[in-house]
Amino acid sequence: MRSLLSGVLLSLWTASVDAYANPLSCSGTCTNAHDPALIRRDDGTYFRFSTGGKIAIHSAPSMTGPWTYRGAAIPNGSKIDKKGKDDLWAPDVIKVGSTYYLFYSVSSFGSQDSAIGVATSSSLDVNTWTDLGATGVASSSGKAYNAIDSNIFADGSTLYMNFGSFWGDLYQVQMQNPPTKVASGASSKNIAYIPSGDHAQEAAFLYKNGNYYYLFFSVGKCCGYDTNRPAAGQEYKIQVCRSSSATGNFVDKNGKKCAEGGGTTVLESHDWVYGPGGQGVYTDPSNGPVLYYHYVDTRVGYADGQKRFGINKINFSSGWPVV
Ligand SMILES: *[C@@H]1O[C@H](CO)[C@@H](O)[C@H](O)[C@H]1NC(C)=O
Ligand SMILES: *[C@@H]1O[C@H](CO)[C@@H](O)[C@H](O)[C@H]1NC(C)=O
């Protein structure tokens, strides 16, 4: 009995400690990967967009590299005239029709004076992006949300933008199709909220698998780990809720509402991976659904510029994403 019990405890312990696979190996430039957005062009070239450098563009012949830096997507800065227009954050890319739409945030750290802009290209390449500026999603001090960290989701031909960071956490608004502006008359509604503490939730990413819409997000502190590392467990981790609708009623694995602080952890610090977040999900033609994100490799360094690009395959067979 005793050995059976310790065997059960041992396997529980093993399951909780060794639950996460390490990221797939990455070659070429795997740093400069904060808040990555991943997309594959029809010719098989992968593109990665990331925070900083006026949205850095890297490309590679495969998802795992070798990645090469190509330049800035918006080299002259955003047309949106706010502080941060030359330091663009948190890109998201989607193809609608034959055009690629690149969404980005204009803000400054810890400020609610923020806006989400969009640029378009027909090829994803550097020097092909046209900045269209404001989408109409914006915030200022006193708003319920902070208008950064956009993610565009296509539910058939109906397009939604998910966004938000701290304050009232995650919001959603319907967009026009094509998604250059908020849909006429649409209003933003809350889809996830952590009522306690400093509401440390951001980086929404909605993904459909089977009959469910999975809302992924990052919880905790994202940045500055080299100078101001948070208490253990307060660093970034990736969580999820799901719903049978794209527009709300997201719950976690225990049935707790995402709008009331629910969230099931998909990936958190483990082994030499620290603070994974800023994630997205991509359906790769050869690997199926993959979770991509940035993380600190504790063997290398904790600075924001050292954040690395991570990819794990996702197993949805239980109805919940497992990496
Ligand atoms: C950036 O600004 C320069 C100088 O005004 C202009 O020649 C160039 O076309 C601009 N580039 C983009 C991508 O808008
Ligand atoms: C997915 O996870 C299930 C257990 O939930 C396992 O049986 C199955 O082999 C996994 N699939 C792959 C491709 O690893």
Side-chain angles (χ1 to χ4, degrees):
M1 184 62 201
R2 182 162 165 206
S3 69
L4 177 64
L5 183 62
S6 57
V8 168
L9 288 175
L10 181 66
S11 59
L12 283 173
W13 181 82
T14 309
S16 64
V17 171
D18 291 336
Y20 307 110
N22 284 331
L24 301 178
S25 66
C26 179
S27 65
T29 306
C30 298
T31 51
N32 196 15
H34 209 275
D35 301 326
L38 179 69
I39 193 165
R40 179 183 176 277
R41 197 165 59 190
D42 289 345
D43 67 359
T45 306
Y46 289 78
F47 285 79
R48 188 180 90 210
F49 297 80
S50 56
T51 281
K54 295 177 178 145
I55 305 299
I57 305 180
H58 295 74
S59 69
S62 95
M63 211 168 56
T64 54
W67 288 100
T68 303
Y69 176 67
R70 300 297 178 190
I74 307 176
N76 291 353
S78 174
K79 284 164 74 168
I80 299 174
D81 191 15
K82 275 187 190 290
K83 186 177 173 194
K85 67 191 175 67
D86 290 311
D87 180 25
L88 309 175
W89 297 348
D92 185 63
V93 181
I94 188 173
K95 189 180 189 187
V96 178
S98 55
T99 302
Y100 296 96
Y101 295 82
L102 170 66
F103 295 84
Y104 60 82
S105 311
V106 178
S107 187
S108 53
F109 202 82
S111 166
Q112 249 183 312
D113 188 15
S114 309
I116 293 168
V118 63
T120 57
S121 162
S122 57
S123 73
L124 296 168
D125 288 314
V126 74
N127 295 327
T128 66
W129 291 94
T130 303
D131 181 32
L132 306 181
T135 58
V137 181
S139 60
S140 53
S141 180
K143 269 261 189 187
Y145 48 75
N146 187 14
I148 65 170
D149 285 5
S150 56
N151 159 242
I152 297 285
F153 180 80
D155 194 22
S157 61
T158 308
L159 304 176
Y160 298 98
M161 180 189 287
N162 306 301
F163 65 94
S165 164
F166 289 70
W167 283 276
D169 291 326
L170 309 184
Y171 278 72
Q172 183 183 74
V173 66
Q174 193 178 332
M175 301 294 284
Q176 296 175 3
N177 188 350
T180 53
K181 294 278 179 202
V182 168
S184 152
S187 57
S188 300
K189 86 177 210 199
N190 186 248
I191 52 171
Y193 179 60
I194 298 176
S196 60
D198 53 4
H199 323 296
Q201 182 181 47
E202 56 191 359
F205 194 100
L206 192 56
Y207 180 80
K208 190 168 190 208
N209 185 272
N211 295 324
Y212 287 107
Y213 297 84
Y214 293 85
L215 179 66
F216 292 80
F217 47 88
S218 303
V219 172
K221 300 263 168 37
C222 67
C223 301
Y225 298 149
D226 52 340
T227 54
N228 191 12
R229 198 162 321 151
Q234 304 298 301
E235 75 276 20
Y236 247 14
K237 63 184 167 197
I238 299 168
Q239 295 196 326
V240 72
C241 284
R242 74 177 189 190
S243 173
S244 53
S245 153
T247 59
N249 300 318
F250 294 97
V251 296
D252 71 12
K253 205 170 172 177
N254 296 325
K256 186 169 181 182
K257 292 176 179 167
C258 226
E260 296 174 1
T264 296
T265 299
V266 179
L267 183 63
E268 61 197 321
S269 298
H270 68 97
D271 302 291
W272 39 266
V273 172
Y274 178 84
Q279 76 295 319
V281 179
Y282 187 66
T283 311
D284 186 62
S286 43
N287 292 287
V290 297
L291 181 71
Y292 62 85
Y293 52 92
H294 70 239
Y295 70 98
V296 155
D297 182 333
T298 58
R299 302 166 304 184
V300 178
Y302 288 79
D304 289 330
Q306 292 173 311
K307 297 264 174 69
R308 292 184 66 82
F309 184 54
I311 298 180
N312 286 56
K313 293 183 191 180
I314 302 179
N315 184 335
F316 275 103
S317 73
S318 67
W320 289 91
V322 173
V323 296

